[in-house]
Amino acid sequence: MRKLIQSLHDRSPAWADWLDVLVPLVEVSLIGLAAWLVMRLVHLLTRRLTRIYALPVSVAALFLRAVAVLVYGGAALWALERLGVSGAVLWTAFTGFATVGAVAFFAAWSVLSNLFCALLIFVTRAFRVGDEVELLEAGDKPGMKGRVMDINLVYTTLLESGDAQNGTSLQLPNSLFFQRVLRRWHGDAQSPAAQGELERPTLQR
């Protein structure tokens, strides 16, 4: 592409020097348009996945922000290169940002793992709000169980006893559900404790 532009520049008259400014501006405009079209496609794809898998709005918004940083960041570097910024300068800036990003990634690994596990919970449909679940401990130890009240990007809240106003709840990291065996009661099935209460004989008057 550069050879073609240089050939046209050499053959053009002196008054056509404005092409040196016009061509890079056109290229930058096309790069910006391509980045915008990619983000529009990502928006449509995310909207369809959110509808299919019933993903929360917070998960979709976080995914769109991450993709936007990658797409627009790459477009900005490409545009700077087309405007004549030195490749060595761009590479130094890229490696610097990549190093900072890698350090931040490892520093926030536990939080990021919970974010990823939250996405997996919705995609795999492991459980939903209102389900009764139990995380089984090793051996015969009783596990943590309760009814799912809320699933956010970091924690899953289980109602352990009582109700939302007067009771106890557990906040479990989302990654914990992929480290232990999960027991889930489907449909109208109830936990053994609840079934025992139902089967307990009542006193006759």
Side-chain angles (χ1 to χ4, degrees), residues 55-203:
L55 298 177
V57 178
S58 55
V59 173
L62 181 64
F63 175 75
L64 288 175
R65 290 177 183 177
V67 175
V69 170
L70 294 177
V71 172
Y72 288 125
L77 292 178
W78 193 9
L80 290 175
E81 190 272 336
R82 302 310 298 173
L83 290 175
V85 179
S86 173
V89 174
L90 293 178
W91 179 251
T92 303
F94 174 77
T95 53
F97 284 124
T99 302
V100 174
V103 173
F105 177 82
F106 285 107
W109 169 248
S110 60
V111 177
L112 295 176
S113 64
N114 287 320
L115 295 177
F116 181 68
C117 290
L119 179 62
L120 288 180
I121 288 174
F122 285 99
V123 172
T124 61
R125 302 182 184 274
F127 53 85
R128 288 290 183 265
V129 174
D131 291 345
E132 189 173 357
V133 298
E134 179 181 4
L135 286 177
L136 301 180
E137 298 284 351
D140 297 331
K141 297 180 181 180
M144 295 174 289
K145 64 180 179 180
R147 191 169 300 278
V148 181
M149 297 176 57
D150 179 56
I151 307 173
N152 57 36
L153 295 178
V154 180
Y155 293 105
T156 294
T157 303
L158 303 182
L159 180 62
E160 187 178 28
S161 63
D163 53 27
Q165 287 73 28
N166 300 296
T168 60
S169 60
L170 299 172
Q171 276 194 326
L172 305 178
N174 293 324
S175 59
L176 193 62
F177 290 92
F178 293 90
Q179 299 173 3
R180 299 183 182 178
V181 177
L182 176 66
R183 175 182 288 162
R184 174 186 176 190
W185 284 268
H186 300 276
D188 297 330
Q190 297 178 342
S191 64
Q195 291 179 358
E197 292 179 359
L198 293 177
E199 295 174 357
R200 185 181 304 167
T202 56
L203 297 177

